């Protein structure tokens, strides 16, 4: 993983955003210095030069990464396994329409029970995903609390709903819980990041590690690049620093 980059942008904020994307981390993991303030044009006259920043990973973040990698022994899981679900469980069998409808009904019921416990009401829209999963999108007002920082609360909610639903129906079928389309928008963003990483890996002929992601996010990256003949992907490290590495073929 690169530890320091110099990037440019129309503003200091945009230059920092470009650096965070290149390093694959969140802003709380870095420190930065402004090398050049953006130039301003007055009535079309002036340099209009971009802002330039140097962004480096904090030593505290590097120590956490190194400690996690030592404990994990840099364990590596094949991308195909994680793309299929990532938890070592066998892929879900084909289920009848009636069985899938039962899963959707039970999962919706679990969601309503949990929301009711917090005095919340919301609409639940049901969809079928590209991989045959049941998607339940919770729609309503003031639902940000269900998403949490970087979607972590939503990930935990997802695990809870899936576990209870699987137990009630007696078999395993993938259920994806969303809140006001958050995961859909996140999926589009991750596919953009995956495509850019594949381009960099192919063009530069070197591995490109992405920032630590949840198992759901890593799975989306693996799926996004599994048909790309230029690169392969793998997951490395230990939670919460487990991340995808994009490698040139």
């Amino acid at each position: 993983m690169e530890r320091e980059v110099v990037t440019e942008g129309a503003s200091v904020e945009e230059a920092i955003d470009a650096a965070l994307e290149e390093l694959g981390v969140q802003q709380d993991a870095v420190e930065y210095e402004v090398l050049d303030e953006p130039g301003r044009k007055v009535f079309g006259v002036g340099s209009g030069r971009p802002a330039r920043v140097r962004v480096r990973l904090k030593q505290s973040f590097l120590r956490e990464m190194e400690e996690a990698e030592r404990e994990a022994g840099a364990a590596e899981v094949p991308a195909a396994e994680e793309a299929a679900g990532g938890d070592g469980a066998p892929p879900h069998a084909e289920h009848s329409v009636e069985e899938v409808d039962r899963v959707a009904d039970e999962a919706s019921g679990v969601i309503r029970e949990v929301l009711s416990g917090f005095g919340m009401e919301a609409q639940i829209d049901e969809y079928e995903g590209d991989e045959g999963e049941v998607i339940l999108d919770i729609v309503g007002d003031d639902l940000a609390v269900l998403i949490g920082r970087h979607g972590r609360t939503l990930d935990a909610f997802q695990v809870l709903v899936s576990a209870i639903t699987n137990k009630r129906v007696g078999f395993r079928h993938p259920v994806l819980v969303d809140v006001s389309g958050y995961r859909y928008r996140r999926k589009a963003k991750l596919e953009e990041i995956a495509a850019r990483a594949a381009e960099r890996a192919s063009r530069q002929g070197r591995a490109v590690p992405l920032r630590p992601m949840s198992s759901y996010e890593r799975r989306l990256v693996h799926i996004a690049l599994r048909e790309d003949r230029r690169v392969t992907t793998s997951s490395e490290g230990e939670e919460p620093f487990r991340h995808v590495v994009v490698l040139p073929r």
Side-chain angles (χ1 to χ4, degrees):
M1 174 180 285
E2 292 180 85
R3 299 188 175 196
E4 178 180 306
V5 296
V6 175
T7 53
E8 296 180 348
S11 65
V12 170
E13 289 76 17
E14 289 186 19
I16 292 173
D17 285 344
L20 294 177
E21 183 169 313
E22 188 166 341
L23 290 169
V25 297
Q26 304 295 324
Q27 188 157 356
D28 57 3
V30 303
E31 53 193 6
Y32 68 92
E33 61 177 309
V34 178
L35 301 177
D36 291 311
E37 293 282 355
R40 292 183 179 177
K41 288 186 176 181
V42 179
F43 301 116
V45 179
S47 67
R49 68 177 182 275
R52 201 161 65 96
V53 299
R54 176 180 288 116
V55 179
R56 66 178 67 87
L57 297 177
K58 291 179 179 177
Q59 287 300 316
S60 57
F61 178 79
L62 288 170
R63 283 195 295 272
E64 289 179 0
M65 288 283 290
E66 290 168 356
E67 183 176 349
E69 288 178 358
R70 278 198 302 273
E71 292 176 354
E76 182 172 328
V77 166
E81 180 181 328
E82 197 160 57
D87 57 3
H92 68 278
E94 293 292 332
H95 296 122
S96 66
V97 173
E98 291 75 17
E99 288 175 323
V100 175
D101 285 345
R102 186 181 165 206
V103 169
D105 290 343
E106 288 289 352
S108 296
V110 173
I111 292 172
R112 290 194 179 90
E113 289 172 24
V114 174
L115 294 182
S116 176
F118 288 99
M120 301 171 68
E121 293 184 358
Q123 175 183 329
I124 302 174
D125 294 338
E126 180 185 328
Y127 306 95
E128 180 179 354
D130 296 339
E131 304 291 319
E133 71 272 30
V134 173
I135 300 176
L136 299 172
D137 190 14
I138 307 170
V139 182
D141 298 326
D142 302 323
L143 297 178
V145 66
L146 295 178
I147 299 174
R149 182 175 172 80
H150 302 314
R152 288 172 184 164
T153 302
L154 180 55
D155 287 340
F157 191 27
Q158 155 88 41
V159 172
L160 175 67
V161 172
S162 295
I164 296 176
T165 301
N166 290 343
K167 185 174 182 180
R168 288 183 178 178
V169 300
F171 58 87
R172 181 174 179 268
H173 188 88
V175 175
L176 185 67
V177 180
D178 202 353
V179 173
S180 299
Y182 170 82
R183 289 194 190 277
Y184 179 82
R185 297 190 299 276
R186 186 64 187 147
K187 178 174 181 286
K189 180 65 176 175
L190 286 170
E191 288 172 346
E192 289 180 14
I193 292 173
R196 282 197 288 270
E199 174 61 28
R200 285 176 56 203
S202 175
R203 176 165 40 84
Q204 299 176 2
R206 65 176 181 81
V208 176
L210 302 181
R211 67 162 178 78
M213 296 177 179
S214 67
S215 60
Y216 169 73
E217 292 175 325
R218 295 195 302 270
R219 181 170 181 266
L220 291 179
V221 173
H222 291 314
I223 291 174
L225 297 180
R226 66 184 174 187
E227 302 296 333
D228 193 321
R229 297 182 178 179
R230 301 171 301 170
V231 298
T232 61
T233 59
S234 67
S235 287
E236 298 179 3
E238 186 76 356
E239 302 289 3
F241 301 107
R242 193 162 179 75
H243 58 280
V244 176
V245 179
V246 183
L247 306 106
R249 289 185 185 273

